Amino acid sequence: MINQFVRLSLLPVLLLCCFSAASYAAQSSIDGYWEGFSKLPNDEMKFTITFKTGAGGLQGKIDVPDSGFIFASPLANVSANGSKVHFEVPRVGNVPFDGENLGDTISGTFQFNNVAVPFILKRTTPPPVPYHEEEVRFQNGSTRLAGTLLLPLTKGPHPAIVFHHAAYQDTRNAWA
């Protein structure tokens, strides 16, 4: 009788622990859209990052619109252990970012020309894009091509731009 009473008394405590752990895991996840900036010595750099946990683990992409060439560029070595966050930007020579996740803010430094530059990211809602994406595939014999159409939401006609990676095997992310 006492054993059963002890088990029943511990049940709410165990349930509370399980819910608290699940809640903490959900709050500490960095999945989502983040906007940030960094104060360079003579400039300010704005950027956005999208983190997503997939089958291969934590992944991310960075956009630095003012750079003119870093758009949806994949991140490397993305990790979030406890409050510590690390990722690298291979597009510009594996620039390492190290920061601390404080819920809806990640702050830290990245290495630029051997100087530690502070950055801050804030979790936010991504802005709506003025287009929708449509995946397309073409095949002619053994040759297969695939791509993504970015179609404006407004009534056309619209001009078209085709990006390709030249005459060698590569993926669509090679130039991102």
Side-chain angles (χ1 to χ4, degrees):
M1 186 76 152
I2 290 180
N3 249 354
Q4 186 176 6
F5 175 75
V6 169
R7 276 188 261 164
L8 289 175
S9 299
L10 288 177
L11 184 61
V13 173
L14 290 173
L15 288 174
L16 181 61
C17 289
C18 291
F19 288 128
S20 296
S23 174
Y24 175 77
Q27 290 173 358
S28 66
S29 169
I30 64 170
D31 284 13
Y33 180 81
W34 300 76
E35 290 182 351
F37 70 94
S38 180
K39 294 273 190 191
L40 298 171
N42 297 320
D43 202 2
E44 181 176 281
M45 178 181 73
K46 294 180 181 178
F47 56 98
T48 62
I49 296 179
T50 303
F51 293 108
K52 183 179 180 182
T53 303
L58 189 55
Q59 301 168 350
K61 291 186 178 188
I62 186 169
D63 289 293
V64 186
D66 292 339
S67 72
F69 68 96
I70 301 176
F71 298 103
S73 188
L75 300 175
N77 301 318
V78 182
S79 64
N81 297 317
S83 66
K84 301 297 180 197
V85 176
H86 173 85
F87 57 92
E88 298 170 12
V89 184
R91 181 84 167 114
V92 288
N94 287 328
V95 171
F97 284 68
D98 289 293
E100 185 173 4
N101 178 5
L102 302 171
D104 288 336
T105 303
I106 298 173
S107 61
T109 60
F110 67 91
Q111 295 297 314
F112 183 73
N113 290 335
N114 296 322
V115 175
V117 179
F119 75 90
I120 189 161
L121 289 165
K122 298 220 181 254
R123 186 189 311 262
T124 187
T125 303
V129 293
Y131 59 84
H132 74 274
E133 294 185 24
E134 184 178 317
E135 299 296 319
V136 293
R137 298 185 185 282
F138 306 92
Q139 185 160 348
N140 184 4
S142 64
T143 303
R144 290 183 296 161
L145 298 175
T148 305
L149 297 175
L150 304 179
L151 303 166
L153 299 176
T154 58
K155 187 171 169 91
H158 298 283
I161 300 172
V162 177
F163 291 99
H164 66 92
H165 54 72
Y168 55 91
Q169 283 190 331
D170 218 331
T171 69
R172 67 177 71 187
N173 295 325
W175 304 102

